[in-house]
């Protein structure tokens, strides 16, 4: 386990302590559990793809089904 120091705004610190006390766990355990949960949710969340970099890449090209097939089978 690693030890680190984190600075919290007073209002956030009080809320964290309050939540930890309500659950009957230490502040450190509450913070670890909350971070683990957040990381797991982010890992399981499907990522959206940003295709904006491809905008206009077919501009000025023949993109009918027939011409695309011809190019694919060359």
């Amino acid at each position: 386990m690693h030890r680190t120091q984190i600075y919290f705004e007073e209002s956030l610190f009080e809320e964290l302590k309050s939540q930890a006390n309500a659950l009957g766990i230490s502040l450190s355990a509450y913070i670890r559990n909350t971070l683990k949960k957040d990381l797991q949710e982010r890992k399981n969340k499907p990522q959206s793809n940003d295709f904006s970099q491809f905008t206009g890449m077919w501009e000025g090209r023949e993109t009918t089904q027939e011409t695309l097939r011809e190019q694919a089978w060359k």
Side-chain angles (χ1 to χ4, degrees), residues 13-27:
F13 182 69
E14 292 302 322
E15 183 67 28
L16 292 169
K17 283 194 321 186
S18 174
Q19 292 295 322
N21 287 335
L23 294 170
I25 59 176
S26 70
L27 178 60

Side-chain angles (χ1 to χ4, degrees), residues 49-64:
N49 296 320
D50 179 13
F51 293 107
S52 62
Q53 62 185 336
F54 300 108
T55 302
M57 70 182 281
W58 292 100
E59 190 175 337
R61 294 186 184 181
E62 183 65 41
T63 56
T64 63

Side-chain angles (χ1 to χ4, degrees), residues 15-73:
E15 183 67 28
L16 292 169
K17 283 194 321 186
S18 174
Q19 292 295 322
N21 287 335
L23 294 170
I25 59 176
S26 70
L27 178 60
S28 297
Y30 179 73
I31 293 170
R32 279 192 301 273
N33 292 344
T34 302
L35 290 172
K36 284 178 190 175
K37 181 181 174 185
D38 181 70
L39 290 171
Q40 189 62 42
E41 287 174 1
R42 289 174 185 272
K43 207 181 280 186
N44 293 336
K45 182 180 175 184
Q47 295 183 358
S48 63
N49 296 320
D50 179 13
F51 293 107
S52 62
Q53 62 185 336
F54 300 108
T55 302
M57 70 182 281
W58 292 100
E59 190 175 337
R61 294 186 184 181
E62 183 65 41
T63 56
T64 63
Q65 192 173 24
E66 295 79 27
T67 57
L68 291 175
R69 284 186 177 151
E70 286 174 11
Q71 293 295 317
W73 295 108

